[in-house]
Amino acid sequence: TISLDVPRKTFTVTKQYRLQAADGTYPSSYTSDGTATVVYGGSYTYSQGVTGITVSEGITTIGNSGFEYCISATKIALPESITSIGTYAFAYCRNLTEVNIPSKAKLKRDSYGYSQFPRGDTTLNLTLSKDNPYHTYENGILYNKDKTELIMSVNKASGDIKVPDTVETITQYAFYKSDITSIYIPASVTQIEYEERDNYSSPTFRSCSQLTAINVSPANTVYSSIDGVLYDKAQTKLYECPKAKTGTVTIPSTCERIYSYAICGTQVSRMDIPLSVVEYDSYSIRDNDSATIYYAGSDAQWSRYNGYIGEHTEVICAIKSIADADVKIPQSIYAYTGSPITPIFFFMPSASMF
């Protein structure tokens, strides 16, 4: 039998149940004689009046989305019997400040990486048992046990980050919404996850509003960087220009592809884009309101870009040198039809959404 007392603002979980009644109301108390040992996904989702959660010994699994959107919860205590913590288990618990990972617990992942904890919304004090065989937690960053996989910044990392030279994979959304100002990627890193997914740039650094530079070891065989901008080793693909980067970004003449959201909402004042860039889309270069873009191709070639570059962004085409900066296209969105150039207007998400 279990009981729940919402007015006390804390409750104890001993068996499976759902907080929300069938009629959509939240009862002040609830009892059940269920025998499950799993907190199923959605069991406590949107339990907005509860501030403290204690899971009793005997529960073995926190299912996917088990406590998702428990926005009032500040502390969650898990017992040693827990062996698995599902994706989005504590996601969007934006006031959560304390949670523990027991000695036998392993975090599950899906195609979007690891998403158990709120990201960038709270300063989270995570306690990991030293006897846990699956994970290591150091300086606010969670790794797998042998530190070959950087899982996520749990405690909203800030400042300059040097990735350990044991790390081979940096997972998707690992630094999402963090306050890091620069990051150094060693030679050991061979995968920054999902940079190829749906033509998107890697979401690893998405919404890092303080990030000025991504620096890669020259010995890295997969990635490289130029002035803090992330490329593949051959510099044919531009993956990420940091949000807080200022000054000039000169894309090398080897570059052929700019990924979606790769240059999105930055502080750069100038971008030089060579004619070699032939793969880009309407999200590749967006909302860079302080920038002037110098493009080596013609205005007709640029019109194929078909994207929203920024309200105050000026584009100057057909550039062989700065002295040739005399061909300008109007500030609007275009669709290339061959002849003539036809403007089209439609809604695009703002950079703040990312």
Side-chain angles (χ1 to χ4, degrees):
T1 300
I2 58 173
S3 64
L4 167 66
D5 188 354
V6 174
R8 290 188 309 170
K9 300 298 183 183
T10 62
F11 66 89
T12 297
V13 180
T14 57
K15 302 297 180 184
Q16 175 209 356
Y17 69 93
R18 292 187 178 276
L19 179 63
Q20 189 173 19
D23 61 1
T25 62
Y26 289 86
S28 59
S29 63
Y30 187 92
T31 61
S32 172
D33 58 0
T35 58
T37 57
V38 177
V39 176
Y40 285 105
S43 293
Y44 310 103
T45 299
Y46 297 102
S47 304
Q48 297 181 10
V50 178
T51 59
I53 299 170
T54 300
V55 180
S56 293
E57 188 69 30
I59 299 292
T60 59
T61 301
I62 305 298
N64 297 346
S65 302
F67 295 101
E68 185 179 10
Y69 282 108
C70 289
I71 61 174
S72 298
T74 59
K75 181 177 181 179
I76 296 176
L78 302 178
E80 280 298 299
S81 57
I82 293 292
T83 59
S84 178
I85 301 175
T87 59
Y88 298 96
F90 314 112
Y92 309 108
C93 297
R94 60 174 178 259
N95 290 303
L96 186 63
T97 58
E98 293 184 47
V99 68
N100 64 300
I101 300 178
S103 62
K104 302 174 185 177
K106 184 177 183 180
L107 302 184
K108 294 174 63 179
R109 63 163 297 164
D110 60 17
S111 60
Y112 292 95
Y114 296 88
S115 50
Q116 278 76 10
F117 306 108
R119 297 177 184 262
D121 297 322
T122 184
T123 300
L124 182 61
N125 180 20
L126 176 69
T127 302
L128 174 68
S129 170
K130 62 182 177 58
D131 297 324
N132 189 290
Y134 304 111
H135 305 293
T136 297
Y137 184 56
E138 293 181 1
N139 301 319
I141 297 177
L142 187 65
Y143 303 87
N144 66 344
K145 189 63 176 180
D146 59 4
K147 293 175 65 174
T148 58
E149 182 181 55
L150 192 157
I151 293 175
M152 69 177 80
S153 165
V154 176
N155 200 10
K156 198 172 184 179
S158 61
D160 300 326
I161 298 294
K162 185 176 181 180
V163 176
D165 58 13
T166 56
V167 172
E168 299 172 1
T169 299
I170 302 176
T171 67
Q172 190 172 194
Y173 294 101
F175 291 98
Y176 179 67
K177 282 189 175 181
S178 74
D179 289 334
I180 61 174
T181 53
S182 71
I183 186 167
Y184 178 80
I185 298 173
S188 58
V189 173
T190 57
Q191 184 179 31
I192 300 175
E193 282 191 344
Y194 296 104
E195 68 272 2
E196 296 286 353
R197 184 177 183 271
D198 296 332
N199 197 38
Y200 278 21
S201 64
S202 172
T204 300
F205 309 108
R206 190 160 296 166
S207 298
C208 294
S209 61
Q210 308 301 313
L211 184 60
T212 62
I214 303 169
N215 298 312
V216 181
S217 166
N220 192 294
T221 60
V222 179
Y223 299 100
S224 66
S225 60
I226 301 176
D227 296 330
V229 178
L230 181 64
Y231 296 86
D232 68 328
K233 184 63 176 179
Q235 296 173 356
T236 60
K237 302 171 183 178
L238 193 161
Y239 292 136
E240 188 84 25
C241 178
K243 290 284 185 294
K245 184 171 177 58
T246 59
T248 298
V249 171
T250 300
I251 299 174
S253 58
T254 55
C255 186
E256 300 173 354
R257 179 179 181 182
I258 301 176
Y259 276 69
S260 289
Y261 303 107
I263 311 176
C264 181
T266 71
Q267 305 302 310
V268 300
S269 56
R270 170 177 167 174
M271 280 180 257
D272 292 351
I273 304 178
L275 195 57
S276 60
V277 175
V278 292
E279 292 185 65
Y280 47 84
D281 60 31
S282 57
Y283 295 93
S284 296
I285 305 171
R286 292 177 54 79
D287 299 308
N288 301 284
D289 289 349
S290 301
T292 298
I293 296 176
Y294 292 88
Y295 177 57
S298 67
D299 53 351
Q301 287 171 310
W302 175 260
S303 71
R304 301 180 192 184
Y305 165 68
N306 190 26
Y308 185 75
I309 55 176
E311 183 178 358
H312 305 293
T313 304
E314 182 179 42
V315 178
I316 302 174
C317 295
I319 301 302
K320 296 180 181 177
S321 66
I322 297 302
D324 286 337
D326 57 356
V327 180
K328 301 180 182 181
I329 62 172
Q331 175 53 61
S332 58
I333 304 173
Y334 291 91
Y336 181 71
T337 58
S339 179
I341 299 172
T342 304
I344 61 172
F345 299 89
F346 51 91
F347 171 77
M348 287 288 189
S350 67
S352 63
M353 296 175 65
F354 302 93

